């Protein structure tokens, strides 16, 4: 007899270790983005346009996240060294106290991710809702129907883009600010 996992859903979590100088540069970059005129006011707070590039400091942060994604995923995906992987549609989102963002998923993306830039332990958590057929075919108590990823400053999380993901209500007294993004990937000669 043998058993194995088919089409696994793997979630990755980690933290960035940044110096105080880099943290201050990031704080300035977030303020620069907010004041740039590229932000969109929303019912939950504000966001930058995901189709416009972020400032150079945040672009360097994107490269660091891409490197971390590669290092985390290569352990589970042996084809990773041959793949072309891109961090796509990076944008800043700010969730006001008492507000949340409902679940969504990304078409034609491999993974979705976020990095908490400002938060407290009561800030918005990621909530993943696997709205797939297997959720309804498994007996109660065997498989969770939701999964929560707790926030922490400079913590990142990557989850499969086909899983519905959203953000819980921000129960802190300060805005939760995150860099949110997706990853695309493919082997040479295939559609990405």
């Amino acid at each position: 007899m043998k058993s194995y996992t088919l089409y696994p859903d793997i979630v990755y979590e980690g933290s960035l270790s940044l110096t105080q100088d880099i943290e201050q540069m990031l704080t300035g970059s977030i303020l620069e983005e907010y004041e740039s005129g590229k932000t969109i006011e929303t019912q939950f707070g504000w966001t930058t346009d995901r189709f416009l590039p972020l400032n150079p400091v945040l672009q360097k942060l994107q490269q660091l996240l891409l490197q971390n994604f590669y290092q985390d995923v290569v352990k589970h995906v042996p084809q990773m060294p041959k793949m072309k992987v891109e961090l796509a549609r990076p944008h800043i989102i700010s969730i006001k106290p008492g507000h949340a963002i409902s679940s969504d998923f990304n078409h034609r993306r491999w993974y979705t991710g976020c990095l908490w830039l400002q938060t407290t332990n009561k800030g918005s958590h990621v909530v993943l809702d696997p709205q797939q057929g297997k959720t309804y075919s498994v007996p109660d108590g065997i498989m969770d129907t939701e999964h929560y990823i707790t926030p922490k400053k400079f913590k990142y999380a990557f989850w499969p883009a086909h899983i519905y993901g959203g953000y819980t209500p921000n129960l802190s007294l300060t805005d939760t600010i995150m860099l949110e993004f997706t990853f695309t990937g493919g082997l040479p000669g295939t559609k990405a």
Side-chain angles (χ1 to χ4, degrees), residues 91-129:
H91 59 284
I92 302 290
I93 57 174
S94 179
I95 304 172
K96 295 186 287 192
H99 290 75
I101 299 178
S102 59
S103 294
D104 192 11
F105 73 101
N106 288 286
H107 295 280
R108 304 204 36 87
R109 297 285 184 241
W110 187 20
Y111 266 79
T112 300
C114 74
L115 169 70
W116 283 271
L117 297 168
Q118 175 181 296
T119 191
T120 70
N121 61 343
K122 294 183 178 183
S124 294
H125 295 50
V126 171
V127 58
L128 301 178
D129 184 9

Side-chain angles (χ1 to χ4, degrees), residues 2 8 18 23 29 35 43-44 48 53 62 84 102 104 114-115 134 136 144 153 157 159 164 168 179 188:
K2 68 178 180 177
L18 304 176
E23 285 187 34
S29 295
E35 294 175 345
Q43 81 280 3
F44 60 80
T48 58
Q62 292 167 218
K84 179 181 179 187
S102 59
D104 192 11
C114 74
L115 169 70
K134 65 182 179 181
Y136 305 106
D144 291 334
K153 190 172 183 180
W159 60 91
Y164 281 81
T168 63
L179 176 65

Side-chain angles (χ1 to χ4, degrees), residues 38 40 48-54 88-91 109:
K38 296 189 293 185
I40 302 161
T48 58
D49 188 331
R50 65 183 69 205
F51 297 102
L52 296 175
L54 296 171
R89 297 185 182 167
H91 59 284
R109 297 285 184 241

Side-chain angles (χ1 to χ4, degrees), residues 127-141:
V127 58
L128 301 178
D129 184 9
Q131 297 179 353
Q132 303 157 356
K134 65 182 179 181
T135 300
Y136 305 106
S137 64
V138 175
D140 286 340

Side-chain angles (χ1 to χ4, degrees), residues 61-72 158 183:
L61 185 61
Q62 292 167 218
Q63 290 304 312
L64 180 60
L65 288 164
L66 183 58
Q67 290 171 3
N68 282 22
F69 179 75
Y70 182 89
Q71 291 170 354
D72 291 344
F158 312 132
F183 291 104

Side-chain angles (χ1 to χ4, degrees), residues 25 41 51 57 63 66-67 88 132 146 162-163 182-183 188:
M25 286 174 48
E41 295 297 324
F51 297 102
V57 172
Q63 290 304 312
L66 183 58
Q67 290 171 3
Q132 303 157 356
E146 291 180 322
H162 68 272
I163 295 176
T182 61
F183 291 104

Side-chain angles (χ1 to χ4, degrees), residues 157-176:
F158 312 132
W159 60 91
H162 68 272
I163 295 176
Y164 281 81
Y167 300 100
T168 63
N170 178 2
L171 301 178
S172 71
L173 299 176
T174 185
D175 289 4
T176 296

